[in-house]
Amino acid sequence: MATVMSTVAPPEQKHEPGPERERERSKDRVIGVFRATPFTYATLIIVSAVLCVPLVFVVSIALASDQTVNANTFTIIPREFHWDNFTRVFGTDLPMHRFLMNSVIISLGAVVGQVLSSGLVGYAFARLRAPGKNALFIIVIATMMIPAQITMIPQFILFKELGWVNTFLPLIVPNFFSNAFNVFLVRQFVSRLPSEIDEAAMVDGLGFFGIYRRIMLPMLAPVLIAIGIFTLTATWGDFMGPLIYLNDESKMPLALGVQYITSTSQALQAPPWNLVMVGSILLTLPMILVYYLGQRYLYEMDISGGSAGVK
């Protein structure tokens, strides 16, 4: 009697969508919601044009002649193109070259201080274990609610007692103690990175500083560059700080030197607004260049997941 052998096909297994597929679907849904329309582009063009009007007006005044300045007949669209104004501004009685160099020194010193201190303090709050660490972090964050005007006079008295008035030190040294916002950025970035990275490095014999220098620092590149851009932007155009602490004209930065151009005019005579606007353009162009070169790091800075550091 022949036996019939039959094979039963195994039941089909349903594959659950993985996390990557879920992220792709979520991304597609977001793109579908924010899909641009002709109305969107038209709105963006109109808003951009309105926001660019002051910049175009600045360029128009910077290229104007002295006769136009005296007659006060400025126009938004440039009618004159006196490019020699960009060289004349360095031929005034004011040391514009020195102003520019002072701004570079103060800004770079502040950037170095913020990057070094913010990275170390933020990493310590994220990884080190110590009693009262969370309470101390809350106190640090709470300092963001204190207006700068409240601490202005106590800081001046402190720096005066130290003999730092009329030097660059009050404008550079405080940046080596970071600030609450930058510490928060670094802490949030590091806290989202896998702790197994630190544990594996400790097995290899690295301490906390070694882990930070060899492993965490390369991963923190986007957020640290973003902090450097924020600090450079705030310091390059700072007017109040140099006005309080600097007395000598030779130590003033460009932001304060541009204001001094208006004081070179004679009585009952209009200030040389064309040269003032040239100085304003010199203040603006470096920041535009810095943002253009560093914008990809600003986009990569993902404090919610820390993914930018492990790409």
Side-chain angles (χ1 to χ4, degrees):
M1 182 176 180
T3 58
V4 180
M5 305 278 300
S6 61
T7 57
V8 180
E12 295 184 359
Q13 296 181 357
K14 296 182 179 181
H15 297 281
E16 296 293 335
E20 295 183 359
R21 183 58 181 169
E22 288 296 332
R23 284 196 295 266
E24 292 178 0
R25 291 180 179 177
S26 177
K27 183 178 179 181
D28 294 338
R29 288 194 297 267
V30 172
I31 293 176
V33 172
F34 294 99
R35 191 175 299 277
T37 62
F39 177 76
T40 305
Y41 287 109
T43 304
L44 291 175
I45 291 174
I46 294 174
V47 174
S48 300
V50 172
L51 295 177
C52 288
V53 168
L55 297 178
V56 176
F57 197 28
V58 168
V59 175
S60 177
I61 298 176
L63 297 176
S65 62
D66 293 339
Q67 292 77 12
T68 302
V69 173
N70 294 329
N72 197 19
T73 56
F74 302 115
T75 58
I76 296 179
I77 305 300
R79 294 184 304 179
E80 301 172 307
F81 298 91
H82 291 269
W83 299 102
D84 57 314
N85 290 341
F86 287 86
T87 57
R88 286 177 52 203
V89 73
F90 293 98
T92 60
D93 296 335
L94 297 174
M96 295 299 295
H97 297 85
R98 189 62 187 173
F99 292 160
L100 187 60
M101 183 58 63
N102 292 340
S103 294
V104 172
I105 294 174
I106 295 173
S107 300
L108 291 183
V111 168
V112 172
Q114 284 289 342
V115 170
L116 290 177
S117 59
S118 299
L120 288 171
V121 177
Y123 171 72
F125 273 119
R127 286 292 194 259
L128 271 63
R129 298 179 180 177
K133 182 188 69 173
N134 294 332
L136 181 60
F137 180 72
I138 293 175
I139 294 174
V140 172
I141 296 299
T143 60
M144 297 174 61
M145 297 184 291
I146 302 176
Q149 293 78 4
I150 293 179
T151 60
M152 188 178 298
I153 295 178
Q155 283 183 348
F156 179 81
I157 295 175
L158 174 63
F159 293 140
K160 183 179 180 181
E161 293 296 328
L162 293 175
W164 288 3
V165 176
N166 201 27
T167 66
F168 293 157
L169 295 178
L171 306 175
I172 297 177
V173 173
N175 292 281
F176 282 84
F177 296 90
S178 186
N179 62 50
F181 179 72
N182 294 338
V183 170
F184 172 77
L185 287 180
V186 177
R187 179 189 178 274
Q188 293 301 105
F189 192 97
V190 175
S191 62
R192 298 297 182 176
L193 296 176
S195 59
E196 289 79 6
I197 298 176
D198 299 47
E199 297 173 359
M202 289 180 181
V203 172
D204 292 337
L206 290 178
F208 285 108
F209 185 76
I211 295 172
Y212 173 79
R213 182 172 60 88
R214 296 188 179 184
I215 299 176
M216 290 295 172
L217 193 58
M219 294 183 178
L220 287 173
V223 68
L224 292 181
I225 292 176
I227 289 174
I229 294 174
F230 297 153
T231 305
L232 182 63
T233 303
T235 309
W236 181 264
D238 185 22
F239 181 85
M240 184 62 66
L243 183 64
I244 294 174
Y245 296 110
L246 299 179
N247 300 324
D248 293 345
E249 186 178 278
S250 60
K251 298 179 180 179
M252 294 179 180
L254 185 60
L256 197 57
V258 170
Q259 189 273 339
Y260 265 65
I261 299 178
T262 61
S263 63
T264 59
S265 59
Q266 299 178 359
L268 302 179
Q269 183 181 358
W273 293 118
N274 49 359
L275 301 184
V276 172
M277 294 305 162
V278 169
S280 300
I281 292 176
L282 294 178
L283 276 172
T284 306
L285 284 180
M287 295 300 98
I288 296 176
L289 181 62
V290 168
Y291 177 77
Y292 176 76
L293 296 177
Q295 60 179 333
R296 70 185 186 94
Y297 297 102
L298 296 176
Y299 298 149
E300 288 181 4
M301 187 187 62
D302 183 8
I303 64 174
S304 62
S307 59
V310 295
K311 286 181 179 178

